Amino acid sequence: MAVAELIGAAVGVLLLIIVAYIVVGSTLSTAETVSNAQKDLTLQHESRLQTSFVISDKTRNGPVVNISITNTGTEVISDFSHMIIFTYTDGDIQGYRHLIFDKMVCGTEGTWCIPEELGIVPDMIHPNQLDPGEKMWIMATSPSGTAPDWCQVTTGNGVYAAAYF
């Protein structure tokens, strides 16, 4: 009988140690996950605070608009695939439209691109990225086929600039 109690106590202590390891391990894992998420959020906020650009020039030719933006911040703007251009038309086909980035073809309805002949000027430090002080021309084609009256360029981290035509 005494041996059974000793075996029962040993199994109980072993189960207690296993549960303690599981609880401590899951707590440490959760703390690491939360810490990494807070770090990523802080880096994203810092990037957003340092991102700034202005629409320095714009032209409109029917549904095609050419927009020149100048990077006035300290952050390099490079994630063009997550940049969106919004347009608003106040004509027969009213409403807001969003245009997505098309790296391959310029002039497709509902897209925007960086024309090779204009592109980013001067583009010496980081090629194909908009460094602080550089200017980039964007060609956007409205999906409605009508000339937009307003446009907004929005970066992937939520910074935007808008202009009327």
Side-chain angles (χ1 to χ4, degrees):
M1 187 98 147
V3 174
E5 290 178 6
L6 285 175
I7 292 174
V11 169
V13 169
L14 184 63
L15 287 175
L16 205 59
I17 291 172
I18 291 173
V19 168
Y21 274 122
I22 290 173
V23 169
V24 169
S26 64
T27 302
L28 289 176
S29 175
T30 302
E32 182 182 6
T33 302
V34 169
S35 174
N36 287 337
Q38 287 176 338
K39 180 180 133 192
D40 291 344
L41 186 61
T42 301
L43 290 174
Q44 187 178 19
H45 283 304
E46 183 180 333
S47 169
R48 184 174 183 179
L49 288 173
Q50 294 177 357
T51 303
S52 177
F53 65 94
V54 295
I55 296 177
S56 50
D57 196 10
K58 61 198 175 306
T59 60
R60 176 177 64 178
N61 185 11
V64 178
V65 294
N66 291 310
I67 306 162
S68 172
I69 63 171
T70 303
N71 187 348
T72 57
T74 58
E75 186 77 17
V76 175
I77 300 172
S78 60
D79 190 10
F80 301 125
S81 62
H82 288 105
M83 284 180 67
I84 296 177
I85 296 179
F86 294 98
T87 61
Y88 178 77
T89 305
D90 188 25
D92 294 337
I93 305 173
Q94 250 182 346
Y96 292 93
R97 307 282 189 264
H98 76 280
L99 313 176
I100 58 172
F101 181 64
D102 187 353
K103 184 178 183 176
M104 306 308 264
V105 180
C106 280
T108 306
E109 285 190 0
T111 65
W112 70 272
C113 66
I114 304 168
E116 287 184 30
E117 61 274 4
L118 299 173
I120 301 171
V121 179
D123 196 17
M124 294 185 294
I125 297 174
H126 298 110
N128 300 321
Q129 297 180 2
L130 188 61
D131 297 313
E134 291 183 342
K135 184 179 195 179
M136 175 174 75
W137 279 96
I138 294 172
M139 186 176 107
T141 308
S142 180
S144 62
T146 60
D149 300 310
W150 172 87
C151 72
Q152 174 181 308
V153 179
T154 306
T155 63
N157 62 3
V159 177
Y160 64 91
Y164 287 95
F165 290 100

